[in-house]
Amino acid sequence: MKKYTVAILGATGAVGREMIKVLEERDFPIKELVPLASARSAGTTIKFAGKDVTVKEVTPNSFDGIDIVLGASPNSIAKEYAPYIVKAGAVFVDNSSAFRMDDNVPLVVPEINPDDVKLNKGIISNPNCSTIITLVALNAINKISPIKSIVASTYQATSGAGAGGPLELEQNVDDIKEGKEVTPKVFPYQIAYNVIPQIGSFLDDGYTTEEMKMQNEGRKIMHLPNLKVSCTCVRVPVVRSHSISVSVICEDALNVEEVKAAIAKEAGCRLYDDPANKIYPMPLVTSDQDLVFVGRIRKDLITDGAICLWCCGDQVRKGAATNAIQIAELLTK
């Protein structure tokens, strides 16, 4: 079996470290792992396959001899180094939003549109975390009948804001217990014992940039150019794993039992739906694993033939690191 030299751009961040963990778990065919980060992190070590691997400072010359670069860095870094990655002949699987809506860059969820990786010209984008989780849950339904519209509310964990998110949640709780003033830094308001109905910046129509990703990215991934999505994104005081409430309307009327049967067989999903026994997806159940759990499947009481469901998945893994590794696995095949 051919083995690959794999670099991770942003290796010391939360998603970068998770990528390293997932590469090892999935036994990716690695010849050499090259962790790349800023000068501040250069020289530190990261464990991989039982060995200490030294983090290197990223420079324009870091990509010579690299086969695949996994990006776990902000948009600005992705844009700065993408030309050097492509010039070196590597494929850049980028977790940032820098290239997601570029017509020349495939946007891939391997369970949904794996063949799109063949269209890459050196860059493949990893979609937004809540988009990945939602679309994996809905993919089986789209196979029954093409989806026309989605109404969604996302309940997004603090770790979706980076490693500082859960730390701020914990600090908020400690400050409140000790009677201290809470000083938000990562989030615009206190996140402990609160929910914040804003993720991303507001647009002129009142939606946020995060909310529009579900429609814009969903159209591209599912090859549904007319898909309409109305989405509300909320930050909740949860450490890990995003939850999404969805109402979905298809071209044809949907049957609850048919939908359940299809989701039960769908790759990347786990039907987790037994309300009588209080079985439904939750962050505590779905954290630190790669499946999207789907439950609370029922008829929509407003639109005939529509279906409501609740899904939950680990946004650090399937919503980011694991999806990127799965894309890399497609490249090796």
Side-chain angles (χ1 to χ4, degrees):
M1 176 188 291
K2 180 181 177 180
K3 294 195 173 184
Y4 298 81
T5 300
V6 177
I8 298 184
L9 182 59
T12 57
V15 173
R17 290 182 180 275
E18 199 72 24
M19 285 176 170
I20 292 169
K21 178 181 175 183
V22 174
L23 283 168
E24 188 166 355
E25 285 179 5
R26 295 176 73 92
D27 197 24
F28 191 89
I30 285 187
K31 179 169 62 177
E32 181 184 1
L33 179 70
V34 182
L36 300 172
S38 66
R40 186 177 65 249
S41 298
T44 60
T45 59
I46 289 177
K47 283 281 187 187
F48 179 72
K51 298 178 180 178
D52 288 327
V53 183
T54 301
V55 177
K56 299 179 180 180
E57 180 182 359
V58 61
T59 72
N61 297 319
S62 296
F63 309 103
D64 294 339
I66 304 293
D67 297 306
I68 298 170
V69 178
L70 301 173
S73 55
N75 285 16
S76 58
I77 301 298
K79 289 178 179 179
E80 179 180 356
Y81 288 102
Y84 300 108
I85 295 169
V86 174
K87 185 178 179 181
V91 178
F92 186 23
V93 182
D94 179 34
N95 192 61
S96 84
S97 62
F99 305 102
R100 287 176 186 161
M101 301 316 298
D102 187 321
D103 290 339
N104 293 313
V105 176
L107 184 65
V108 175
V109 178
E111 292 88 349
I112 300 174
N113 60 330
D115 288 345
D116 285 4
V117 299
K118 300 172 185 175
L119 305 175
N120 88 81
K121 298 176 182 178
I123 305 173
I124 302 171
S125 274
N126 215 31
N128 180 4
C129 48
S130 55
T131 299
I132 292 173
I133 292 164
T134 305
L135 296 190
V136 168
L138 297 182
N139 193 41
I141 294 175
N142 192 53
K143 291 177 180 178
I144 296 172
S145 178
I147 296 172
K148 292 172 59 180
S149 64
I150 297 166
V151 177
S153 293
T154 73
Y155 304 81
Q156 297 185 213
T158 55
S159 53
L167 294 176
E168 183 156 307
L169 172 59
E170 184 179 355
Q171 186 64 54
N172 281 186
V173 172
D174 289 344
D175 288 345
I176 292 167
K177 285 167 59 179
E178 296 170 13
K180 297 179 180 178
E181 182 179 353
V182 173
T183 305
K185 295 178 181 177
V186 175
F187 305 110
Y189 295 95
Q190 171 187 314
I191 187 60
Y193 313 115
N194 191 26
V195 299
I196 302 173
Q198 178 192 356
I199 303 176
S201 55
F202 283 104
L203 302 169
D204 290 342
D205 60 3
Y207 286 86
T208 68
T209 51
E210 181 80 2
E211 289 161 353
M212 292 311 301
K213 290 174 184 177
M214 187 83 75
Q215 174 173 282
N216 297 337
E217 296 181 16
R219 289 175 172 179
K220 187 172 180 179
I221 295 162
M222 303 191 88
H223 301 165
L224 295 172
N226 298 316
L227 175 68
K228 293 183 179 180
V229 179
S230 181
C231 184
T232 302
C233 292
V234 183
R235 187 73 68 191
V236 295
V238 168
V239 172
R240 188 157 169 161
S241 205
H242 289 350
S243 305
I244 302 100
S245 172
V246 185
S247 176
V248 57
I249 300 172
C250 293
E251 291 182 3
D252 304 303
L254 297 170
N255 173 278
V256 170
E257 294 308 316
E258 183 182 17
V259 167
K260 287 183 178 181
I263 288 172
K265 296 185 293 185
E266 188 66 19
C269 280
R270 179 176 176 187
L271 182 66
Y272 200 71
D273 191 14
D274 185 3
N277 291 302
K278 299 182 176 63
I279 300 297
Y280 31 68
M282 297 182 294
L284 288 177
V285 177
T286 54
S287 294
D288 202 27
Q289 56 82 54
D290 294 324
L291 295 177
V292 174
F293 284 41
V294 188
R296 298 293 319 276
I297 300 170
R298 61 207 187 275
K299 289 183 179 179
D300 188 307
L301 299 180
I302 297 175
T303 305
D304 290 341
I307 288 288
C308 295
L309 59 80
W310 173 264
C311 61
C312 197
D314 188 318
Q315 89 289 350
V316 183
R317 288 185 63 102
K318 181 53 186 169
T322 302
N323 198 78
I325 307 307
Q326 289 176 301
I327 292 172
E329 288 171 346
L330 291 174
L331 292 170
T332 69
K333 297 172 184 177

